[in-house]
Amino acid sequence: MGLGSFGGAVSATRFLSDAGGVVSVTDLRSEEQLAASLSQLDGLRLKQVALGQHPLELFTNCDVLVVNPAVRPDDPFVQAAVQAGAEITSEVDLFCRFNPAPVIGVTGSNGKSTTSALIHHLLVRTRDQPNSRYWLGGNIGGSLLPQLDDISSSDIVVLELSSFQLESLRRRRFRPRIAIITNLTPNHLDWHNTMAAYHRAKHGVLDAQFRDDAAVLPDDTGGDVTWSPRGMFWRFGIGDSGEDGVFLEDDLLIARSGQRFHFDRRVSTSVVSDPITHETAARPARAAVEEVVRCRLPRQLPGDHNRRNVAAATCATWLAGGELSRVNDALQVFQGLPHRLQFVVERGGRRFFNDSIATTPESSIEALNVFQSRIVMLAGGHDKGLDLSEFAGAIARSASATVLMGQTSGLLREQILQRSNRNCRKVVCGRDFEDSFRQAVALSKPGDIVLLSPGCASYGWFRDFRERGNRFVELAMQWTDES
Ligand code: ADP
C-alpha cells in the first residue's frame, strides 16, 4: 500500500516477489506520477497493480499488508485489512526479521535523519573494526532489503524509525542494541491524536530492550517528557549535567560512563519473541570513565539543534566502540544531508543554505534562529491553511530582505510589513522560482546568507521539497556575482 517514490515500497515488492509471494501493489497516485517507481518493477510478475485508487478487495483478501510509512495508522483501508485478519507490516519490519546485525535505532520528533546519518558517518571514521561494515536505512530512505545477503553479524545497522514504523516493530518486540530518542515535541498530533499516544509510539523503541542494551536519551532540557528504559541509559545534551552520557559544552565534547556496556556481546537477533520483565537500570554513584576532547562543529551543522544531534550521535558511536578522539576530524568531513539547512556553496561572499525540507512555519523559524549573519530569505509556497503570523514575525525580526513565493506570498508579505518598519522594496514577491532566486541575490550583499527555508509546502511550483531544493542548489551553483 503506497508505492511512493522513495524506493522502500519498490524494494519490498521485489523482495516479496523474489521470495515467491503473490504480490499486488496499490497507490492513490497515477501511473504518470509513479512512472519512475513503476519502471523499477519491470520484470516482476505481480498479481495486480492498482493505481489512482485503492480497491477494497485487495485489503480484505491479503495475508500480509505492507504499508508505506506515509500512511496514517487509522487509515480505513488499513483498518479493513486488520478486520479481515491480515498481518500489517512495513518495509523496515521485513528487513528486521531477516537482518543478522545489531541495530542502532533512532527515533524522535526532529533530527532523526541527521542523527542517523551522523552515527553512520562516525562509525565509519572512528570505529576500528576491520571486519565490520556499517549500513544506514529505515525512514531515511534507501531500503536495506536488497543488501540483506551482504550484511553480516559483525556489521552494524543504523535505522531511522518513524512512529509508524515503530508501531509495527513493537508488535514484533523489536530490540535495538542501542536505542536513541532525539526529542519529543507535539508536532505530529494530526497522526497520533494525543500526546500520550505519540509518546507511547516513540517509547516503542525502548520497550523490548534487555537489561544489557543501551538507551541514549535527551537531557532534561530536551523537554519535560519522561522515558523508562529497561536497559542501561545515557544522556546527551549541550550542557554537561554531570550524568552518564555525552555532552557538547562549548567546544568540549565530554563522554562519561560509570556503567559497563559491552556492545560486542552479540545477541542472536535484533528481534525477540519472548516478553521480558520490566526493570529500570540503577544509576551508579560515580563515573568510572570520563573522556574529554575538543570539538568544533563544521558549517554543515549549524545551530544548537545540530549540537544536540552531534552529542546524541557521538554517544551512540562511543557506546558502539568508536573513538572519541577521532570524532572532531570526522565531523569536519560530514557532508550534511540534502535539503536540511544544507550548506550549498559560498559565492561572491554570500553563503547559500538549502532548507527546502522546512515545510512548516516552525521549522523555518528554527532555521532563522540559527544564523548570526544577515539573512536574505526565500519563503512561502503552497497554502495549507496554517497560521503564518508567528512565521511572519520571525521573518520581520531576523531577515534583512525577503522574497516570497507561491500562494502564501501575498498574505505573508502583508503580515511581515505589518510587523516591521521595513522598506517594502525589501519584502518582494517572485513570479516563479527562478525570478525569486534572482531577486534574492540582487537584494543580498557580500557576507549575507541566502536561505531557502519556505515554511510552506512546495506543491504548485514543484512536485516535492526535493525538487524545490535541487533547483535552488542548481541556481546557487550557477550563480556568480557577475551574472
Ligand atoms: P527528521 O528526520 O526527524 O525529520 P531531520 O534530521 O531531517 O529530522 O531534520 C529536519 C529539520 O528539523 C531540520 O532542517 C531542522 O530544521 C530541524 N531539526 C533537526 N534536528 C533537530 C533537533 N535536534 N531539534 C529540533 N529541530 C531539529
Side-chain angles (χ1 to χ4, degrees):
M1 177 189 198
L3 183 61
S5 42
F6 301 147
V10 167
S11 297
T13 309
R14 263 193 182 282
F15 179 78
L16 292 167
S17 178
D18 290 349
V22 181
V23 186
S24 296
V25 172
T26 173
D27 196 299
L28 292 176
R29 284 196 268 168
S30 66
E31 186 173 344
E32 195 189 358
Q33 289 168 310
L34 293 167
S37 296
L38 287 167
S39 70
Q40 295 175 58
L41 298 179
D42 281 352
L44 292 188
R45 289 233 304 270
L46 300 175
K47 182 156 180 269
Q48 191 179 342
V49 178
L51 303 176
Q53 56 156 327
H54 288 321
L56 185 62
E57 66 277 9
L58 275 185
F59 294 85
T60 51
N61 283 323
C62 65
D63 297 318
V64 178
L65 179 68
V66 185
V67 182
N68 189 304
V71 176
R72 287 176 59 110
D74 59 357
D75 181 279
F77 289 97
V78 176
Q79 291 310 315
V82 171
Q83 293 300 318
E87 183 185 332
I88 310 298
T89 184
S90 61
E91 178 270 329
V92 73
D93 179 17
L94 286 177
F95 170 76
C96 286
R97 290 189 207 191
F98 300 99
N99 162 43
V103 169
I104 299 180
V106 182
T107 195
S109 302
N110 297 107
K112 295 182 291 297
S113 295
T114 308
T115 305
S116 305
L118 270 169
I119 294 169
H120 180 261
H121 178 86
L122 292 177
L123 285 171
V124 170
R125 284 166 182 79
T126 69
R127 189 172 184 266
D128 241 346
Q129 292 288 340
N131 295 328
S132 298
R133 285 192 293 174
Y134 308 106
W135 307 86
L136 178 62
N139 205 42
I140 198 162
S143 174
L144 291 176
L145 279 172
Q147 328 285 344
L148 264 176
D149 287 344
D150 298 324
I151 300 177
S152 83
S153 59
S154 53
D155 297 352
I156 300 178
V157 170
V158 183
L159 285 185
E160 177 192 329
L161 299 164
S162 68
S163 326
F164 181 76
Q165 287 166 329
L166 279 171
E167 287 285 351
S168 68
L169 287 170
R170 191 163 56 168
R171 284 193 289 276
R172 202 166 298 289
R173 302 201 61 75
F174 166 66
R175 177 190 173 192
R177 190 75 176 96
I178 302 178
I180 301 173
I181 297 175
T182 57
N183 47 43
L184 190 81
T185 51
N187 63 354
H188 288 296
L189 293 188
D190 48 341
W191 270 60
H192 294 275
N193 298 325
T194 66
M195 195 63 188
Y198 184 42
H199 179 244
R200 203 162 45 242
K202 294 290 184 203
H203 210 284
V205 78
L206 308 173
D207 288 344
Q209 284 196 298
F210 280 19
R211 284 181 65 182
D212 61 354
D213 292 329
V216 176
L217 303 172
D219 63 8
D220 291 341
T221 58
D224 57 357
V225 192
T226 54
W227 305 102
S228 310
R230 294 173 170 218
M232 297 182 269
F233 68 95
W234 285 259
R235 298 277 184 192
F236 71 88
I238 55 175
D240 183 4
S241 65
E243 294 172 283
D244 277 10
V246 170
F247 306 94
L248 181 53
E249 188 171 281
D250 302 325
D251 63 347
L252 293 183
L253 191 58
I254 302 151
R256 180 184 301 117
S257 183
Q259 312 162 78
R260 280 175 192 279
F261 175 65
H262 298 284
F263 183 79
D264 290 324
R265 185 185 294 155
R266 288 272 170 255
V267 292
S268 57
T269 165
S270 59
V271 180
V272 296
S273 48
D274 298 322
I276 55 167
T277 52
H278 184 106
E279 272 181 58
T280 308
R283 318 288 329 276
R286 273 189 41 226
V289 184
E290 186 174 276
E291 289 182 55
V292 182
V293 295
R294 291 217 173 270
C295 181
R296 182 176 58 81
L297 284 201
R299 61 182 166 192
Q300 289 85 328
L301 292 166
D304 273 355
H305 63 285
N306 274 319
R307 296 175 65 79
R308 297 184 65 83
N309 296 340
V310 165
T314 303
C315 190
T317 308
W318 187 60
L319 291 171
E323 284 173 37
L324 200 70
S325 59
R326 293 164 68 180
V327 167
N328 183 49
D329 285 351
L331 288 175
Q332 307 314 315
V333 291
F334 181 69
Q335 290 296 311
L337 287 179
H339 315 299
R340 292 153 178 90
L341 270 189
Q342 169 198 9
F343 170 70
V344 180
V345 70
E346 181 161 351
R347 285 275 151 86
R350 285 89 165 159
R351 284 177 296 151
F352 293 83
F353 280 85
N354 164 23
D355 192 34
S356 181
I357 199 168
T359 54
T360 62
E362 294 76 39
S363 24
S364 289
I365 294 171
E366 182 100 39
L368 279 167
N369 290 333
V370 160
F371 298 104
Q372 308 298 323
S373 322
R374 279 166 38 103
I375 299 171
V376 177
M377 176 85 168
L378 277 151
H382 177 77
D383 190 357
K384 289 190 279 190
L386 296 175
D387 177 5
L388 299 174
S389 55
E390 266 190 56
F391 186 28
I395 295 176
R397 275 192 306 281
S398 308
S400 58
T402 310
V403 183
L404 297 160
M405 307 174 291
Q407 269 181 341
T408 51
S409 56
L411 179 65
L412 261 173
R413 182 166 193 267
E414 201 177 297
Q415 297 197 357
I416 295 166
L417 290 174
Q418 271 168 15
R419 285 168 178 75
S420 63
N421 45 14
R422 190 136 299 147
N423 182 336
C424 55
R425 274 175 306 173
K426 297 233 162 145
V427 185
V428 296
C429 298
R431 279 192 311 278
D432 53 31
F433 195 68
E434 286 68 23
D435 178 56
S436 306
F437 181 88
R438 227 180 354 259
Q439 295 201 59
V441 285
L443 286 164
S444 71
K445 295 199 296 222
D448 284 1
I449 281 169
V450 180
L451 170 66
L452 170 72
S453 187
C456 297
S458 57
Y459 316 123
W461 286 9
F462 296 101
R463 191 176 56 233
D464 56 26
F465 74 84
R466 288 177 178 77
E467 194 182 60
R468 175 171 68 186
N470 289 339
R471 186 71 191 123
F472 177 77
V473 171
E474 268 169 27
L475 290 168
M477 299 300 284
Q478 285 160 10
W479 183 78
T480 60
D481 44 359
E482 284 108 46
S483 59

